[in-house]
Amino acid sequence: MLCRTFVDKMFRMIFLLLMAVCPEHGRDYGNFPNPTITLEPVTGLALQGGVVIVKCETHTEDPKIVYLFRNDKVIYNVTSILSSPVVYTIINITSQHLGNYRCLYANISNRHQRSRPSTPVRLSILGRIKAPLSVLQLYPAAEVTEGETFTMTCLAATSSRCFIFKGGHKQNEHFQIKEEKSNVTITIGNVTYCDEGNYSCYCLIDVSGKTVFTAQSDWLQVTVMDHEEQINEAVAAEINSSPILPIALASTTFIVLNLMCAFLAVCLSTKSKYTPYNI
């Protein structure tokens, strides 16, 4: 089993190298439809430190391995059994991310059978403008109780359309949302453990007449507690914050010390009574 896994990994590495050096090597296109690659925003422009989303749509539901290239170099590959597009998010854009992007996919059981590469799309940086930061806020707190309601708001400094993500998956369409001029608020009611996780956001803004994404916000972790955990924490917090506890401890200590002194006094008195020097 170990040997088989090693051979499979070596074959995969050789295949990736061949595709990068010679994309037409061992081609067997069969009847695979050509994939389509797109960028979000559709302008193909980004700000320094901003975000760009790359999507590869294969137009087939068959199991496959999808490969993403930048300037003929494989930068990402993933096994997919879904018909939905493969999404690759680039954050903190720098000049190293510039270039032409394309994708193709291979038969999961025979990697020599693969599609033609997609028509390339180009990613460019808009001048030397640094992407403004988006800010994600949670209310009432990052810890919520199962069954309660909490909200998340993504803010940007300028007029924008904002998107909130959980582990890389957009949440706007799954919950009740409220969009305003420079922010979007998502309300999650009847919270369950499925709502736990790390959340972040970024916004679509207009810079010099071009549509670009802001920088991604910091990740915020949401933790869902059950009612018993909340009650235990509340009781512990109340005990720790109550002035009664220190008073009770001081009183108990005082009583114990007095009892010890009384016991020692009795012991010493008894010892003196029976000393051999007494008549």
Side-chain angles (χ1 to χ4, degrees), residues 36-47 50-56 68 75 85-93 97 101 121-123 161-165 168-172 200-204 211-214 216:
T36 304
I37 191 168
T38 55
L39 298 178
E40 289 185 13
V42 294
T43 57
L45 296 174
L47 300 178
V51 174
V52 165
I53 301 173
V54 185
K55 290 185 177 181
C56 179
L68 178 64
I75 61 171
V86 170
V87 178
Y88 180 72
T89 302
I90 308 173
I91 63 173
N92 195 23
I93 294 287
H97 297 108
Y101 287 76
V121 292
R122 184 163 185 80
L123 174 60
R161 186 184 178 197
C162 300
F163 306 91
I164 296 176
F165 292 80
H169 300 286
K170 191 183 298 183
Q171 301 296 301
N172 292 46
S200 68
C201 74
Y202 43 82
C203 302
L204 202 57
T211 302
V212 290
F213 279 125
T214 62
Q216 181 176 285

Side-chain angles (χ1 to χ4, degrees), residues 49-279:
V51 174
V52 165
I53 301 173
V54 185
K55 290 185 177 181
C56 179
E57 191 165 2
T58 60
H59 310 290
T60 177
E61 296 183 358
D62 295 333
K64 65 263 178 193
I65 304 173
V66 180
Y67 300 90
L68 178 64
F69 297 80
R70 179 174 63 238
N71 298 331
D72 297 329
K73 179 181 178 181
V74 177
I75 61 171
Y76 181 67
N77 67 86
V78 64
T79 300
S80 174
I81 58 174
L82 304 174
S83 59
S84 55
V86 170
V87 178
Y88 180 72
T89 302
I90 308 173
I91 63 173
N92 195 23
I93 294 287
T94 68
S95 58
Q96 295 181 350
H97 297 108
L98 303 184
N100 293 318
Y101 287 76
R102 59 182 180 143
C103 66
L104 59 81
Y105 60 94
N107 189 317
I108 199 169
S109 58
N110 184 352
R111 295 168 190 170
H112 287 292
Q113 296 180 345
R114 62 181 190 269
S115 71
R116 294 178 182 274
S118 66
T119 301
V121 292
R122 184 163 185 80
L123 174 60
S124 304
I125 288 184
L126 184 60
R128 296 185 177 181
I129 306 173
K130 189 170 179 62
L133 183 66
S134 300
V135 178
L136 182 61
Q137 298 177 340
L138 302 181
Y139 181 83
E143 289 188 351
V144 292
T145 304
E146 189 177 16
E148 289 186 344
T149 297
F150 79 101
T151 61
M152 290 179 288
T153 300
C154 184
L155 305 168
T158 61
S159 179
S160 58
R161 186 184 178 197
C162 300
F163 306 91
I164 296 176
F165 292 80
K166 176 189 174 186
H169 300 286
K170 191 183 298 183
Q171 301 296 301
N172 292 46
E173 61 268 26
H174 299 310
F175 302 103
Q176 178 184 345
I177 67 170
K178 178 183 178 182
E179 292 186 309
E180 297 183 359
K181 186 176 181 180
S182 60
N183 66 76
V184 62
T185 298
I186 286 182
T187 300
I188 303 179
N190 194 24
V191 172
T192 69
Y193 287 105
C194 294
D195 299 314
E196 276 194 336
N198 294 314
Y199 290 82
S200 68
C201 74
Y202 43 82
C203 302
L204 202 57
I205 60 175
D206 185 85
V207 176
S208 303
K210 305 295 185 181
T211 302
V212 290
F213 279 125
T214 62
Q216 181 176 285
S217 72
D218 293 333
W219 289 96
L220 293 180
Q221 184 175 8
V222 173
T223 303
V224 178
M225 302 182 297
D226 60 29
H227 291 285
E228 184 176 349
E229 287 178 333
Q230 186 190 35
I231 292 172
N232 292 339
E233 289 191 2
V235 170
E238 184 176 352
I239 291 174
N240 291 332
S241 62
S242 174
I244 297 175
L245 181 61
I247 294 173
L249 289 173
S251 299
T252 303
T253 303
F254 179 75
I255 292 171
V256 170
L257 287 174
N258 277 293
L259 289 173
M260 290 178 64
C261 290
F263 179 75
L264 287 173
V266 170
C267 289
L268 290 173
S269 174
T270 304
K271 184 176 181 182
S272 298
K273 183 177 179 180
Y274 292 100
T275 182
Y277 296 101
N278 288 338
I279 298 175

